[in-house]
Amino acid sequence: MSLQNFISKAISPWMKNEGPDSDIVLSSRIRLARNIEEIEFPIIASKEKLENIIEIVKDKFSKHTHRKFGELELLKMDDMKPNEKRVLVEKHLISPNLSDESKAGAVLLSEDESLSIMVNEEDHFRIQILLSGFQLDQGLNYANEIDDWMEEKVDFAFDQKRGYLTSCPTNVGTGLRASVMMHLPALVITRQMNRILPAINQLGLVVRGIYGEGSEALGNLFQISNQTTLGKSEEDIVDDLRSVVVQLIQQERTARETLLQQSKLQMEDRVYRSYGILSYSRTMESKEATQRLSDVRLGIDLGLITDLSGSILNELMILTQPGFLQQYAGEILSSEQRDQRRATLIRERLKLENNA
Amino acid sequence: MSLQNFISKAISPWMKNEGPDSDIVLSSRIRLARNIEEIEFPIIASKEKLENIIEIVKDKFSKHTHRKFGELELLKMDDMKPNEKRVLVEKHLISPNLSDESKAGAVLLSEDESLSIMVNEEDHFRIQILLSGFQLDQGLNYANEIDDWMEEKVDFAFDQKRGYLTSCPTNVGTGLRASVMMHLPALVITRQMNRILPAINQLGLVVRGIYGEGSEALGNLFQISNQTTLGKSEEDIVDDLRSVVVQLIQQERTARETLLQQSKLQMEDRVYRSYGILSYSRTMESKEATQRLSDVRLGIDLGLITDLSGSILNELMILTQPGFLQQYAGEILSSEQRDQRRATLIRERLKLENNA
């Protein structure tokens, strides 16, 4: 497969850098945890019972066309090769937990991948809406729509006092997790992030790296989400997150202006050196790639680099993950081979861009 | 002036990377120290006496055409701007000492700059032949020819027992210093240089960096020369140096083969990263430029980089020195401005190469 072809197949719309404020907010995500009434949570349910849920999904959801999201494809974890699952994890469409741990896990995917419903992860259902840019409200609308659509056909475990019941107590109530992925290089370079992070935590929000809990904030990418799901309405949870994100966007923009005014040459040198290394290197670890892609993306956003489109960070961040590299190579690769393929893929991708 | 024009004017033939073994030996130099009989050495002579020597030079040498070197141009230090002198130092045509310290210093230059005769440096005359590649014998032949040509017209201070008399006792005898500039990156990368250097010193040779005594061996460039000038014939001195250089060439070639066999990918990555940084950076200190140019040159010599000619290291090593940068800019620059101009000049030079 040609690289161009591979990319056009691999890229989901949310990676395309098209949403509002997409110079800073890469993506917005809404997730609702739901369980079917009177069936045990996946942690204690037998494999048979969980397979029964998949039958319900087949019957009630995957065979019907949804008004907005079209036909949903059902993928069972047992039917997939390890690397196919890995690619879905890297695209943020399923969790590592569903891929590796679930007894009868599956996922329902819309064709544009903006909707994914994990089946038999920690809960029976995890409805996820993933959109490009800063679109939390839109995400919540879509998630509610899917929630209603599903509730027409199955009864969800619900308690009048507590709200939706979930496997883990931290999700009880709304079952909602709202999150945004933000690119905040100027706040990192100007050393403001260390001061900002504790303040965000105090507001009841959680900051993580790009691959969820416990992952490092590589490439100046920060995933910010709500911690509380109980005692607040869905709208209030999203509002609280949104107001913090709006402030962060403002702070990042101010920091970028400061960098341009006070150290333009140093910034230009930094982003172009990373551009040069990405264009020429022959082997590169994932961590370095992420950092250098962040530099180049900042250079684009600052108007210092003009011959590249802003979506390359989003794209290449995903395409240079191990699963994707192996999918493109058509074989399982050692760590050294991946580093080499990663450098090659980035070089070829940048060349495509320069030829365009 | 266009860069192409500037370069073609600035480059001396010895930088062109054309001589024998020029993949490793950048240049060969022969220097003879001579003094006129019955005139005090420059250190103690009055300015009047030294000006008298310049008159002798004008009368006897600069007005006559030499069979091999053509017309010689006389440049007096007092008539030159500081940056003009700096450029001559950077081209290795005069010493910093002549530029800054001499009372009535001057230099006689052949048009192709392979011959320079410093006047009133430490000695009345310092005859220098500077050739591309490994050409010590040819250099000695030329130097002897100039020595004879001068001796036809003036009497040199000579002692039957000691040989030629010079200002510093270390030059008494032949007055000869033979040296080669070698590029030995593979011996440095494979950590053999630390073992080799003391062995070379034990053979009575001296190893220095590119800008003479006390200068660091930047860019894996080593200047190797004889220490002794007394008690051996000119031919023996050159023979001893040559045999060491032949061994070093062999060792460097072996080390390069080893690198290619054992760590080709790492070498490719290293030389291409340096190529990328040189092609993209916006500010660069002299030290880094020298090191990265050394990497790129090694890449060319190993056949890993094929779209650049080998002479760029030689050229750019010189063209990115402060004097040249200021000459090209047409003004005196601060250190920060030079770093910026250096990066720009390298980028433009590499672009010229890629367009060619």
Side-chain angles (χ1 to χ4, degrees), chain B residues 82-93:
Chain B
N83 201 60
E84 291 172 340
K85 294 191 279 182
R86 192 165 187 172
V87 164
L88 292 186
V89 171
E90 291 170 359
K91 287 173 104 170
H92 299 280
L93 297 175

Side-chain angles (χ1 to χ4, degrees), chain B residues 182-205:
Chain B
M182 302 188 79
H183 186 225
L184 303 172
L187 288 175
V188 173
I189 293 170
T190 58
R191 294 166 196 276
Q192 295 180 69
M193 221 41 211
N194 294 340
R195 181 177 54 73
I196 291 170
L197 286 180
I200 295 177
N201 287 327
Q202 283 206 318
L203 292 168
L205 300 175

Side-chain angles (χ1 to χ4, degrees), chain A residues 269 272-273 280 282-283 288, chain B residues 269 272-273 282-283 288:
Chain A
D269 189 53
Y272 269 102
R273 278 172 182 252
Y280 281 78
R282 261 52 186 173
T283 175
E288 184 188 354
Chain B
D269 189 52
Y272 269 103
R273 278 172 181 252
R282 260 54 184 172
T283 174
E288 183 188 355

Side-chain angles (χ1 to χ4, degrees), chain B residues 31-34 162-164 166 171-177 226 228-234 237:
Chain B
R31 181 268 277 162
L32 297 175
R34 295 291 184 262
R162 297 183 187 81
Y164 290 100
T166 58
N171 290 315
V172 168
T174 57
L176 169 69
R177 176 136 297 152
N226 63 303
T228 336
T229 56
L230 189 70
K232 274 205 246 182
S233 73
E234 282 85 349
I237 291 172

Side-chain angles (χ1 to χ4, degrees), chain B residues 320-337:
Chain B
T320 56
Q321 297 295 327
F324 267 103
L325 289 174
Q326 295 182 143
Q327 195 184 54
Y328 184 42
E331 58 182 329
I332 299 305
L333 305 168
S334 70
S335 159
E336 289 74 23
Q337 288 173 319

Side-chain angles (χ1 to χ4, degrees), chain A residues 54-97:
Chain A
I54 293 189
E55 289 309 310
I56 295 172
V57 167
K58 259 193 198 160
D59 183 43
K60 296 189 188 291
F61 305 122
S62 77
K63 283 183 183 158
H64 301 265
T65 301
H66 182 270
R67 195 179 51 77
K68 146 84 189 145
F69 293 97
E71 218 165 302
L72 303 183
E73 187 183 11
L74 181 71
L75 301 170
K76 288 203 260 183
M77 291 304 115
D78 286 348
D79 297 344
M80 297 174 78
K81 291 185 187 143
N83 199 62
E84 291 171 341
K85 294 191 278 182
R86 191 165 188 171
V87 164
L88 291 185
V89 172
E90 291 170 0
K91 286 172 105 168
H92 299 279
L93 297 175
I94 65 173
S95 65
N97 197 32

